[in-house]
Amino acid sequence: DAKTTQPPSMDCAEGRAANLPCNHSTISGNEYVYWYRQIHSQGPQYIIHGLKNNETNEMASLIITEDRKSSTLILPHATLRDTAVYYCIVRVEAAGNKLTFGGGTRVLVKP
Amino acid sequence: DTAVSQTPKYLVTQMGNDKSIKCEQNLGHDTMYWYKQDSKKFLKIMFSYNNKELIINETVPNRFSPKSPDKAHLNLHINSLELGDSAVYFCASSQMPGAETQYFGPGTRLLVL
């Protein structure tokens, strides 16, 4: 699975959009980009995933660059409850393939 | 209703003891996982079972033995506990191996004294 690089931490103002970058320059053509988050003392929570098209769901939007070497997770209106560690993961969707979590980005949403 | 549940939530024990952590999922999923999150907060997969059969076995000491009595349950037994086993252990499930979404339990915080 390709390695990802994320900033270790970032702050965001409540009510504003939070843009979380992720670099995955060695991503393969069949590897998806996943985002999970872990709120303090809880298990990780799936947010969104995509292959090459931009994706949106009720939690967030995922923007993947045309060359697929980087992506951005957008939380459109950050709330205090969005304070968490956000993990960007790339992997092939196949049996036996695992989610490999890196260090993630620690996002602090401030009032 | 809790989708993935783990017991106990906290476990404090002495070095050398044997302990078990239980996991149950009511999502009807075929695949279950055990992850370990150490003090540095890195989350690593340990095992994965699909329909009661082991499909992922990372480099984990053989003191750790997973058991899946049915596809809704995946328990983790740890023999001869060591200080380095102190961590948070998360159970997860997915509809099938390699499925896009894994659902995680709340974690079991193990402290070995």
PDB file of all heavy atoms in Angstrom, chain B residues 70-96:
ATOM      1  N   ASP B  70     -18.121 -17.885  16.073  1.00  0.00           N
ATOM      2  CA  ASP B  70     -19.058 -17.710  14.957  1.00  0.00           C
ATOM      3  C   ASP B  70     -18.735 -16.374  14.323  1.00  0.00           C
ATOM      4  O   ASP B  70     -17.924 -15.606  14.852  1.00  0.00           O
ATOM      5  CB  ASP B  70     -20.520 -17.773  15.428  1.00  0.00           C
ATOM      6  CG  ASP B  70     -20.830 -16.784  16.530  1.00  0.00           C
ATOM      7  OD1 ASP B  70     -20.700 -15.569  16.282  1.00  0.00           O
ATOM      8  OD2 ASP B  70     -21.167 -17.221  17.652  1.00  0.00           O
ATOM      9  N   LYS B  71     -19.356 -16.072  13.208  1.00  0.00           N
ATOM     10  CA  LYS B  71     -18.885 -14.890  12.467  1.00  0.00           C
ATOM     11  C   LYS B  71     -19.272 -13.574  13.140  1.00  0.00           C
ATOM     12  O   LYS B  71     -18.801 -12.521  12.745  1.00  0.00           O
ATOM     13  CB  LYS B  71     -19.355 -14.931  11.017  1.00  0.00           C
ATOM     14  CG  LYS B  71     -20.824 -14.753  10.795  1.00  0.00           C
ATOM     15  CD  LYS B  71     -21.101 -14.756   9.289  1.00  0.00           C
ATOM     16  CE  LYS B  71     -22.527 -14.324   9.020  1.00  0.00           C
ATOM     17  NZ  LYS B  71     -22.810 -14.266   7.564  1.00  0.00           N
ATOM     18  N   ALA B  72     -20.102 -13.631  14.173  1.00  0.00           N
ATOM     19  CA  ALA B  72     -20.463 -12.416  14.896  1.00  0.00           C
ATOM     20  C   ALA B  72     -19.537 -12.121  16.071  1.00  0.00           C
ATOM     21  O   ALA B  72     -19.657 -11.078  16.708  1.00  0.00           O
ATOM     22  CB  ALA B  72     -21.902 -12.508  15.387  1.00  0.00           C
ATOM     23  N   HIS B  73     -18.654 -13.042  16.381  1.00  0.00           N
ATOM     24  CA  HIS B  73     -17.786 -12.898  17.542  1.00  0.00           C
ATOM     25  C   HIS B  73     -16.335 -13.155  17.181  1.00  0.00           C
ATOM     26  O   HIS B  73     -16.017 -14.086  16.439  1.00  0.00           O
ATOM     27  CB  HIS B  73     -18.188 -13.888  18.654  1.00  0.00           C
ATOM     28  CG  HIS B  73     -19.550 -13.645  19.206  1.00  0.00           C
ATOM     29  ND1 HIS B  73     -20.694 -14.138  18.604  1.00  0.00           N
ATOM     30  CD2 HIS B  73     -19.959 -12.931  20.290  1.00  0.00           C
ATOM     31  CE1 HIS B  73     -21.746 -13.752  19.315  1.00  0.00           C
ATOM     32  NE2 HIS B  73     -21.337 -13.019  20.329  1.00  0.00           N
ATOM     33  N   LEU B  74     -15.462 -12.310  17.730  1.00  0.00           N
ATOM     34  CA  LEU B  74     -14.022 -12.527  17.599  1.00  0.00           C
ATOM     35  C   LEU B  74     -13.378 -12.138  18.916  1.00  0.00           C
ATOM     36  O   LEU B  74     -13.387 -10.964  19.290  1.00  0.00           O
ATOM     37  CB  LEU B  74     -13.427 -11.709  16.452  1.00  0.00           C
ATOM     38  CG  LEU B  74     -11.919 -11.882  16.238  1.00  0.00           C
ATOM     39  CD1 LEU B  74     -11.605 -13.337  15.865  1.00  0.00           C
ATOM     40  CD2 LEU B  74     -11.409 -10.942  15.142  1.00  0.00           C
ATOM     41  N   ASN B  75     -12.876 -13.132  19.612  1.00  0.00           N
ATOM     42  CA  ASN B  75     -12.271 -12.899  20.911  1.00  0.00           C
ATOM     43  C   ASN B  75     -10.753 -12.928  20.796  1.00  0.00           C
ATOM     44  O   ASN B  75     -10.195 -13.538  19.869  1.00  0.00           O
ATOM     45  CB  ASN B  75     -12.758 -13.956  21.903  1.00  0.00           C
ATOM     46  CG  ASN B  75     -14.283 -13.984  22.010  1.00  0.00           C
ATOM     47  OD1 ASN B  75     -14.929 -12.938  21.953  1.00  0.00           O
ATOM     48  ND2 ASN B  75     -14.854 -15.174  22.152  1.00  0.00           N
ATOM     49  N   LEU B  76     -10.105 -12.258  21.725  1.00  0.00           N
ATOM     50  CA  LEU B  76      -8.641 -12.206  21.731  1.00  0.00           C
ATOM     51  C   LEU B  76      -8.145 -12.662  23.086  1.00  0.00           C
ATOM     52  O   LEU B  76      -8.466 -12.054  24.107  1.00  0.00           O
ATOM     53  CB  LEU B  76      -8.157 -10.785  21.449  1.00  0.00           C
ATOM     54  CG  LEU B  76      -6.643 -10.583  21.329  1.00  0.00           C
ATOM     55  CD1 LEU B  76      -6.091 -11.350  20.133  1.00  0.00           C
ATOM     56  CD2 LEU B  76      -6.311  -9.099  21.209  1.00  0.00           C
ATOM     57  N   HIS B  77      -7.400 -13.755  23.084  1.00  0.00           N
ATOM     58  CA  HIS B  77      -6.836 -14.273  24.323  1.00  0.00           C
ATOM     59  C   HIS B  77      -5.351 -13.957  24.343  1.00  0.00           C
ATOM     60  O   HIS B  77      -4.656 -14.172  23.343  1.00  0.00           O
ATOM     61  CB  HIS B  77      -7.068 -15.784  24.425  1.00  0.00           C
ATOM     62  CG  HIS B  77      -6.690 -16.335  25.755  1.00  0.00           C
ATOM     63  ND1 HIS B  77      -7.460 -16.165  26.888  1.00  0.00           N
ATOM     64  CD2 HIS B  77      -5.599 -17.032  26.149  1.00  0.00           C
ATOM     65  CE1 HIS B  77      -6.860 -16.745  27.920  1.00  0.00           C
ATOM     66  NE2 HIS B  77      -5.740 -17.285  27.495  1.00  0.00           N
ATOM     67  N   ILE B  78      -4.893 -13.463  25.476  1.00  0.00           N
ATOM     68  CA  ILE B  78      -3.478 -13.109  25.606  1.00  0.00           C
ATOM     69  C   ILE B  78      -2.881 -13.875  26.779  1.00  0.00           C
ATOM     70  O   ILE B  78      -3.364 -13.756  27.922  1.00  0.00           O
ATOM     71  CB  ILE B  78      -3.277 -11.599  25.827  1.00  0.00           C
ATOM     72  CG1 ILE B  78      -4.152 -10.771  24.871  1.00  0.00           C
ATOM     73  CG2 ILE B  78      -1.804 -11.234  25.630  1.00  0.00           C
ATOM     74  CD1 ILE B  78      -4.179  -9.287  25.172  1.00  0.00           C
ATOM     75  N   ASN B  79      -1.864 -14.662  26.503  1.00  0.00           N
ATOM     76  CA  ASN B  79      -1.183 -15.429  27.548  1.00  0.00           C
ATOM     77  C   ASN B  79       0.038 -14.666  28.053  1.00  0.00           C
ATOM     78  O   ASN B  79       0.644 -13.873  27.334  1.00  0.00           O
ATOM     79  CB  ASN B  79      -0.697 -16.776  27.000  1.00  0.00           C
ATOM     80  CG  ASN B  79      -1.834 -17.735  26.738  1.00  0.00           C
ATOM     81  OD1 ASN B  79      -2.840 -17.722  27.448  1.00  0.00           O
ATOM     82  ND2 ASN B  79      -1.691 -18.540  25.717  1.00  0.00           N
ATOM     83  N   SER B  80       0.400 -14.934  29.295  1.00  0.00           N
ATOM     84  CA  SER B  80       1.647 -14.419  29.877  1.00  0.00           C
ATOM     85  C   SER B  80       1.842 -12.932  29.557  1.00  0.00           C
ATOM     86  O   SER B  80       2.817 -12.529  28.919  1.00  0.00           O
ATOM     87  CB  SER B  80       2.852 -15.219  29.344  1.00  0.00           C
ATOM     88  OG  SER B  80       2.680 -16.578  29.614  1.00  0.00           O
ATOM     89  N   LEU B  81       0.923 -12.138  30.005  1.00  0.00           N
ATOM     90  CA  LEU B  81       0.930 -10.708  29.681  1.00  0.00           C
ATOM     91  C   LEU B  81       2.235 -10.036  30.073  1.00  0.00           C
ATOM     92  O   LEU B  81       2.821 -10.320  31.125  1.00  0.00           O
ATOM     93  CB  LEU B  81      -0.254 -10.022  30.360  1.00  0.00           C
ATOM     94  CG  LEU B  81      -1.564 -10.170  29.577  1.00  0.00           C
ATOM     95  CD1 LEU B  81      -2.766 -10.039  30.490  1.00  0.00           C
ATOM     96  CD2 LEU B  81      -1.607  -9.136  28.458  1.00  0.00           C
ATOM     97  N   GLU B  82       2.679  -9.132  29.204  1.00  0.00           N
ATOM     98  CA  GLU B  82       3.913  -8.362  29.427  1.00  0.00           C
ATOM     99  C   GLU B  82       3.574  -6.873  29.497  1.00  0.00           C
ATOM    100  O   GLU B  82       2.520  -6.445  29.010  1.00  0.00           O
ATOM    101  CB  GLU B  82       4.900  -8.621  28.281  1.00  0.00           C
ATOM    102  CG  GLU B  82       5.302 -10.070  28.150  1.00  0.00           C
ATOM    103  CD  GLU B  82       6.229 -10.313  26.971  1.00  0.00           C
ATOM    104  OE1 GLU B  82       6.509  -9.355  26.208  1.00  0.00           O
ATOM    105  OE2 GLU B  82       6.674 -11.471  26.801  1.00  0.00           O
ATOM    106  N   LEU B  83       4.508  -6.106  30.061  1.00  0.00           N
ATOM    107  CA  LEU B  83       4.279  -4.666  30.194  1.00  0.00           C
ATOM    108  C   LEU B  83       3.987  -4.027  28.829  1.00  0.00           C
ATOM    109  O   LEU B  83       3.136  -3.142  28.721  1.00  0.00           O
ATOM    110  CB  LEU B  83       5.499  -3.984  30.820  1.00  0.00           C
ATOM    111  CG  LEU B  83       5.846  -4.379  32.256  1.00  0.00           C
ATOM    112  CD1 LEU B  83       7.105  -3.660  32.721  1.00  0.00           C
ATOM    113  CD2 LEU B  83       4.682  -4.073  33.199  1.00  0.00           C
ATOM    114  N   GLY B  84       4.683  -4.492  27.799  1.00  0.00           N
ATOM    115  CA  GLY B  84       4.526  -3.927  26.464  1.00  0.00           C
ATOM    116  C   GLY B  84       3.191  -4.219  25.809  1.00  0.00           C
ATOM    117  O   GLY B  84       2.882  -3.680  24.749  1.00  0.00           O
ATOM    118  N   ASP B  85       2.406  -5.077  26.431  1.00  0.00           N
ATOM    119  CA  ASP B  85       1.072  -5.363  25.893  1.00  0.00           C
ATOM    120  C   ASP B  85       0.071  -4.275  26.278  1.00  0.00           C
ATOM    121  O   ASP B  85      -1.053  -4.259  25.757  1.00  0.00           O
ATOM    122  CB  ASP B  85       0.559  -6.718  26.416  1.00  0.00           C
ATOM    123  CG  ASP B  85       1.435  -7.870  25.969  1.00  0.00           C
ATOM    124  OD1 ASP B  85       2.085  -7.756  24.903  1.00  0.00           O
ATOM    125  OD2 ASP B  85       1.497  -8.893  26.695  1.00  0.00           O
ATOM    126  N   SER B  86       0.471  -3.386  27.165  1.00  0.00           N
ATOM    127  CA  SER B  86      -0.412  -2.281  27.552  1.00  0.00           C
ATOM    128  C   SER B  86      -0.714  -1.432  26.331  1.00  0.00           C
ATOM    129  O   SER B  86       0.195  -0.934  25.662  1.00  0.00           O
ATOM    130  CB  SER B  86       0.249  -1.417  28.628  1.00  0.00           C
ATOM    131  OG  SER B  86       0.448  -2.155  29.818  1.00  0.00           O
ATOM    132  N   ALA B  87      -1.976  -1.267  26.041  1.00  0.00           N
ATOM    133  CA  ALA B  87      -2.404  -0.561  24.833  1.00  0.00           C
ATOM    134  C   ALA B  87      -3.922  -0.519  24.836  1.00  0.00           C
ATOM    135  O   ALA B  87      -4.580  -1.058  25.727  1.00  0.00           O
ATOM    136  CB  ALA B  87      -1.918  -1.286  23.570  1.00  0.00           C
ATOM    137  N   VAL B  88      -4.453   0.122  23.784  1.00  0.00           N
ATOM    138  CA  VAL B  88      -5.896   0.041  23.553  1.00  0.00           C
ATOM    139  C   VAL B  88      -6.109  -0.918  22.387  1.00  0.00           C
ATOM    140  O   VAL B  88      -5.476  -0.777  21.331  1.00  0.00           O
ATOM    141  CB  VAL B  88      -6.507   1.416  23.211  1.00  0.00           C
ATOM    142  CG1 VAL B  88      -8.023   1.279  23.065  1.00  0.00           C
ATOM    143  CG2 VAL B  88      -6.173   2.437  24.291  1.00  0.00           C
ATOM    144  N   TYR B  89      -6.975  -1.888  22.572  1.00  0.00           N
ATOM    145  CA  TYR B  89      -7.261  -2.892  21.550  1.00  0.00           C
ATOM    146  C   TYR B  89      -8.642  -2.609  20.969  1.00  0.00           C
ATOM    147  O   TYR B  89      -9.633  -2.523  21.707  1.00  0.00           O
ATOM    148  CB  TYR B  89      -7.184  -4.295  22.149  1.00  0.00           C
ATOM    149  CG  TYR B  89      -5.772  -4.661  22.553  1.00  0.00           C
ATOM    150  CD1 TYR B  89      -5.260  -4.279  23.781  1.00  0.00           C
ATOM    151  CD2 TYR B  89      -4.936  -5.353  21.686  1.00  0.00           C
ATOM    152  CE1 TYR B  89      -3.947  -4.579  24.142  1.00  0.00           C
ATOM    153  CE2 TYR B  89      -3.637  -5.667  22.033  1.00  0.00           C
ATOM    154  CZ  TYR B  89      -3.147  -5.262  23.265  1.00  0.00           C
ATOM    155  OH  TYR B  89      -1.845  -5.558  23.611  1.00  0.00           O
ATOM    156  N   PHE B  90      -8.674  -2.463  19.647  1.00  0.00           N
ATOM    157  CA  PHE B  90      -9.931  -2.186  18.962  1.00  0.00           C
ATOM    158  C   PHE B  90     -10.336  -3.379  18.105  1.00  0.00           C
ATOM    159  O   PHE B  90      -9.524  -3.928  17.356  1.00  0.00           O
ATOM    160  CB  PHE B  90      -9.804  -0.964  18.048  1.00  0.00           C
ATOM    161  CG  PHE B  90      -9.703   0.343  18.783  1.00  0.00           C
ATOM    162  CD1 PHE B  90      -8.472   0.947  18.968  1.00  0.00           C
ATOM    163  CD2 PHE B  90     -10.844   0.968  19.268  1.00  0.00           C
ATOM    164  CE1 PHE B  90      -8.373   2.155  19.633  1.00  0.00           C
ATOM    165  CE2 PHE B  90     -10.743   2.177  19.936  1.00  0.00           C
ATOM    166  CZ  PHE B  90      -9.501   2.778  20.122  1.00  0.00           C
ATOM    167  N   CYS B  91     -11.593  -3.705  18.203  1.00  0.00           N
ATOM    168  CA  CYS B  91     -12.195  -4.689  17.316  1.00  0.00           C
ATOM    169  C   CYS B  91     -12.914  -3.928  16.199  1.00  0.00           C
ATOM    170  O   CYS B  91     -13.379  -2.792  16.415  1.00  0.00           O
ATOM    171  CB  CYS B  91     -13.184  -5.524  18.124  1.00  0.00           C
ATOM    172  SG  CYS B  91     -14.103  -6.736  17.175  1.00  0.00           S
ATOM    173  N   ALA B  92     -12.982  -4.508  15.026  1.00  0.00           N
ATOM    174  CA  ALA B  92     -13.692  -3.887  13.908  1.00  0.00           C
ATOM    175  C   ALA B  92     -14.346  -4.976  13.075  1.00  0.00           C
ATOM    176  O   ALA B  92     -13.977  -6.152  13.165  1.00  0.00           O
ATOM    177  CB  ALA B  92     -12.745  -3.050  13.055  1.00  0.00           C
ATOM    178  N   SER B  93     -15.306  -4.564  12.246  1.00  0.00           N
ATOM    179  CA  SER B  93     -15.917  -5.524  11.326  1.00  0.00           C
ATOM    180  C   SER B  93     -16.176  -4.841   9.999  1.00  0.00           C
ATOM    181  O   SER B  93     -16.260  -3.617   9.909  1.00  0.00           O
ATOM    182  CB  SER B  93     -17.225  -6.090  11.905  1.00  0.00           C
ATOM    183  OG  SER B  93     -18.260  -5.128  11.849  1.00  0.00           O
ATOM    184  N   SER B  94     -16.292  -5.660   8.958  1.00  0.00           N
ATOM    185  CA  SER B  94     -16.665  -5.161   7.645  1.00  0.00           C
ATOM    186  C   SER B  94     -17.516  -6.214   6.958  1.00  0.00           C
ATOM    187  O   SER B  94     -17.480  -7.401   7.317  1.00  0.00           O
ATOM    188  CB  SER B  94     -15.448  -4.809   6.781  1.00  0.00           C
ATOM    189  OG  SER B  94     -14.695  -5.960   6.474  1.00  0.00           O
ATOM    190  N   GLN B  95     -18.241  -5.783   5.957  1.00  0.00           N
ATOM    191  CA  GLN B  95     -19.190  -6.682   5.293  1.00  0.00           C
ATOM    192  C   GLN B  95     -18.475  -7.894   4.696  1.00  0.00           C
ATOM    193  O   GLN B  95     -18.960  -9.017   4.771  1.00  0.00           O
ATOM    194  CB  GLN B  95     -19.933  -5.923   4.214  1.00  0.00           C
ATOM    195  CG  GLN B  95     -21.204  -6.588   3.758  1.00  0.00           C
ATOM    196  CD  GLN B  95     -22.113  -5.608   3.026  1.00  0.00           C
ATOM    197  OE1 GLN B  95     -21.664  -4.564   2.559  1.00  0.00           O
ATOM    198  NE2 GLN B  95     -23.373  -5.928   2.944  1.00  0.00           N
ATOM    199  N   MET B  96     -17.304  -7.641   4.135  1.00  0.00           N
ATOM    200  CA  MET B  96     -16.524  -8.722   3.545  1.00  0.00           C
ATOM    201  C   MET B  96     -15.064  -8.314   3.576  1.00  0.00           C
ATOM    202  O   MET B  96     -14.760  -7.147   3.832  1.00  0.00           O
ATOM    203  CB  MET B  96     -16.981  -8.984   2.106  1.00  0.00           C
ATOM    204  CG  MET B  96     -16.779  -7.804   1.180  1.00  0.00           C
ATOM    205  SD  MET B  96     -17.518  -8.060  -0.435  1.00  0.00           S
ATOM    206  CE  MET B  96     -19.243  -7.865  -0.056  1.00  0.00           C
TER     207      MET B  96
END
